[in-house]
Amino acid sequence: MKSIFDAIFDCCTGAFKQKRTKARVNELAHGLLTCTGRATITGMLIAIGRQFLDWTAAYQLFWGSRMNTDRLFDVSLQVCLEQLGPKQIIVAHLDDTVIRKTGKTIAGTGWRRDPLGPAFHTNFIWAQRFIQISLSLHDQTDLNSQSRAIAVDFHHSPSVKKPGKNAGDEDRRAFAESKKQQNLSKQGLSRIKLLRSRLDGHGASERQLFLSVDGSYTNGTILKGLPSRVTLIGRVRKDATLNYLPESEKTKGRNRKYGDPAPTPEQIRQSDALPWQEVAGWAAGKKHTFKVKVVSSLKWRAAGQARTFQLVVISPLAYRLKKGGRLLYRKPAYLVCSDNDMDIETLLQAYLWRWEIEVNFRDEKSTNGCGEAQVRNEIAAVKVPQFVVAMHAFVHLADIILNKSTTAAVLPRAKWEQKNIHLRPSTNNILNNFRGCYVFGKMGKSFSDFVAKQRLITNAINPMIDAVNPLFYIRR
């Protein structure tokens, strides 16, 4: 795995001003992926055995223009497109996330709503905010399969700083205008446009981009400015106000742009006038049959006159917490799609894959330690989280390429994970395999032999445990 990771990293030559800078960043990336403690800069240095050497050069890698983190994500996008077949759809997911901080003078920090707070009370945390876009890599032969989201953009999106109480009227007017121009929706729209142009630059100009977003990005700002060759699939409220198309054009006066009001999504769900359709989709670790209602040719005033939508109402999915337990139901979902003719199975599956970007956020912060580095430099405070997310994407791409080989040396999973052997490996499993390749390579020993030994003892009653065994089954 390490050799594949290094091969991907070698494509990042344009991201660094000097070869020695690239070599140092590559070494620091090894430290990030093998450290077992907090993912601070010193934690990365300790993991690669540089705890007795000067540390200032490692911090200075993230200052100034020594490293262009945007070019790292260009490589991630390029490798993703190489892994997708020419007939596979390109599905991206966009969302924003916050990274907790404690320093009140760190660039871009502010009070943010805590997304993990309870529904009945709004909590606030001091944090940085980033917008991320991830691409889904899925099975070439079966659309209804599990996917893996790979980060291809991670953009710092702070709020505009509010002027002080003694600021003049001119400063206050400038603040109000900047606040309009730099709100989260407009920043998200600029990243969507940039992704579309980057895809064109990588030879995918003829391929449609399907973008799934949550309700905060399903708004007029995004939909009115959506670039060509981009189809948006987003969530709407259950009481959203939609309209039918106008019945006919008038011979006198202005033609109507909106027809009669359509029932709300919740009313459509409860009504028996429209039958349910059964559509297959992959979610929550297995295939499910979803019951949906589809209403095409709708207008939405928030999106403007130019766009026609189809509305998809998804019935709550039933599940049991345990075998023989009572039947429980998830919440219904209401989706709009900017392509009125999009196939319902593709539409549903593209949105179901959106959950993977939430998995990205959890793994990047909890497992890879995004935001744990203690840096105060204005540029470094942005580049270090971007670097961590880019390396998270690289190691997942390396694992995807590795799994295509039938002779790959991969550690067997723990006993309690055997029932999920058909599911893709977790980030912890991937990092443990990378750590094994790195450590055994440094010792001059064969990692394949160690893996073979581990497979022999998986079914042993009283196995002889190697002293280094726990190092490669760490969970964060």
Side-chain angles (χ1 to χ4, degrees):
M1 179 184 287
K2 179 179 174 295
S3 60
I4 300 174
F5 175 87
D6 289 338
I8 296 173
F9 194 90
D10 282 341
C11 300
C12 302
T13 304
F16 308 100
K17 282 197 168 183
Q18 296 179 325
K19 289 184 178 179
R20 63 178 183 177
T21 303
K22 178 185 174 183
R24 285 178 177 174
V25 174
N26 189 17
E27 194 175 26
L28 204 63
H30 293 162
L32 168 68
L33 300 175
T34 56
C35 71
T36 57
R38 297 185 70 214
T40 58
I41 303 296
T42 51
M44 301 175 201
L45 293 173
I46 290 172
I48 55 178
R50 296 183 62 87
Q51 64 268 32
F52 302 117
L53 302 176
D54 182 49
W55 64 90
T56 55
Y59 280 90
Q60 291 171 357
L61 290 173
F62 300 97
W63 297 359
S65 58
R66 291 178 177 86
M67 174 173 54
N68 185 346
T69 49
D70 290 336
R71 296 295 297 273
L72 299 178
F73 289 107
D74 269 341
V75 173
S76 176
L77 177 62
Q78 177 186 344
V79 178
C80 283
L81 292 175
E82 291 171 357
Q83 297 303 310
L84 284 171
K87 295 184 179 180
Q88 285 183 281
I89 60 173
I90 300 177
V91 181
H93 318 289
L94 180 144
D95 206 352
D96 58 274
T97 186
V98 293
I99 297 176
R100 290 175 180 263
K101 289 293 180 181
T102 55
K104 295 298 185 287
T105 59
I106 299 175
T109 53
W111 291 109
R112 305 287 180 197
R113 187 184 68 83
D114 184 6
L116 300 181
F120 56 84
H121 190 273
T122 299
N123 292 337
F124 293 94
I125 57 173
W126 188 259
Q128 288 177 297
R129 184 176 64 188
F130 288 83
I131 294 175
Q132 177 168 321
I133 300 179
S134 297
L135 243 62
S136 277
L137 296 184
H138 48 94
D139 196 325
Q140 295 191 22
T141 58
D142 186 7
L143 178 68
N144 302 133
S145 60
Q146 60 183 333
S147 74
R148 195 182 313 195
I150 305 296
V152 295
D153 192 14
F154 196 68
H155 176 68
H156 188 220
S157 53
S159 301
V160 181
K161 188 175 180 179
K162 188 176 181 179
K165 62 181 180 180
N166 296 325
D169 293 339
E170 187 65 29
D171 293 333
R172 294 184 185 279
R173 282 193 294 269
F175 165 72
E177 183 62 27
S178 298
K179 190 176 179 181
K180 288 180 183 178
Q181 297 302 322
Q182 297 185 36
N183 65 45
L184 201 56
S185 294
K186 289 196 174 181
Q187 291 190 58
L189 179 61
S190 68
R191 305 317 294 181
I192 295 170
K193 291 179 178 178
L194 179 61
L195 176 61
R196 181 64 265 182
S197 64
R198 289 167 61 198
L199 288 170
D200 295 346
H202 285 290
S205 57
E206 301 298 323
R207 302 176 70 175
Q208 187 77 3
L209 170 63
F210 298 95
L211 181 72
S212 67
V213 296
D214 64 4
S216 62
Y217 290 96
T218 311
N219 55 46
T221 301
I222 298 289
L223 290 166
K224 289 177 182 177
L226 203 64
S228 61
R229 291 165 293 126
V230 177
T231 298
L232 184 133
I233 306 166
R235 201 159 182 166
V236 293
R237 292 166 54 103
K238 65 181 180 180
D239 59 350
T241 304
L242 303 170
N243 293 77
Y244 292 115
L245 297 179
E247 293 181 1
S248 60
E249 295 185 356
K250 292 182 179 181
T251 56
K252 293 183 180 181
R254 291 186 301 175
N255 292 321
R256 295 179 64 188
K257 301 299 183 181
Y258 303 97
D260 296 332
T264 65
E266 178 65 10
Q267 289 172 344
I268 292 173
R269 184 182 74 85
Q270 296 178 355
S271 173
D272 295 329
L274 195 66
W276 292 100
Q277 304 177 34
E278 290 191 348
V279 182
W282 178 283
K286 63 180 181 179
K287 286 185 179 181
H288 295 272
T289 300
F290 291 86
K291 293 166 59 179
V292 303
K293 290 182 179 181
V294 182
V295 183
S296 302
S297 302
L298 293 174
K299 291 285 188 179
W300 190 18
R301 291 180 185 271
Q305 303 171 1
R307 295 198 178 275
T308 304
F309 298 89
Q310 60 173 316
L311 171 70
V312 181
V313 179
I314 306 174
S315 176
L317 194 64
Y319 68 99
R320 301 180 193 274
L321 289 176
K322 60 182 181 180
K323 190 175 181 179
R326 69 188 184 96
L327 206 59
L328 304 174
Y329 291 90
R330 294 179 171 89
K331 293 182 179 180
Y334 312 98
L335 310 179
V336 290
C337 177
S338 61
D339 182 356
N340 193 44
D341 301 317
M342 185 175 179
D343 173 60
I344 180 59
E345 186 176 6
T346 306
L347 187 159
L348 177 63
Q349 188 59 71
Y351 190 82
L352 291 173
W353 282 334
R354 205 199 75 82
W355 176 249
E356 286 295 320
I357 195 172
E358 305 293 349
V359 177
N360 277 172
F361 291 151
R362 182 198 64 189
D363 289 347
E364 289 160 2
K365 290 184 277 191
S366 299
T367 307
N368 275 106
C370 182
E372 291 180 355
Q374 299 169 336
V375 290
R376 295 293 183 267
N377 180 276
E378 184 175 353
I379 299 175
V382 176
K383 284 192 174 182
V384 173
Q386 291 176 331
F387 167 72
V388 173
V389 172
M391 295 307 103
H392 176 270
F394 283 9
V395 77
H396 271 269
L397 286 169
D399 180 71
I400 290 170
I401 298 171
L402 179 71
N403 287 337
K404 293 183 178 180
S405 171
T406 56
T407 59
V410 178
L411 287 166
R413 300 191 191 182
K415 194 75 172 178
W416 51 86
E417 291 183 296
Q418 295 299 318
K419 64 178 181 179
N420 296 326
I421 200 69
H422 65 289
L423 300 179
R424 66 172 179 82
S426 67
T427 300
N428 275 311
N429 290 334
I430 294 170
L431 293 181
N432 284 327
N433 276 289
F434 185 91
R435 188 180 298 112
C437 293
Y438 180 82
V439 171
F440 278 89
K442 288 292 184 181
M443 294 191 302
K445 296 183 179 181
S446 172
F447 180 59
S448 299
D449 292 345
F450 178 77
V451 170
K453 183 179 179 182
Q454 293 299 302
R455 288 175 177 168
L456 287 175
I457 65 174
T458 51
N459 295 319
I461 298 175
N462 295 307
M464 296 293 294
I465 304 299
D466 197 307
V468 298
N469 183 286
L471 182 63
F472 309 114
Y473 285 91
I474 289 175
R475 291 290 182 269
R476 286 194 66 185

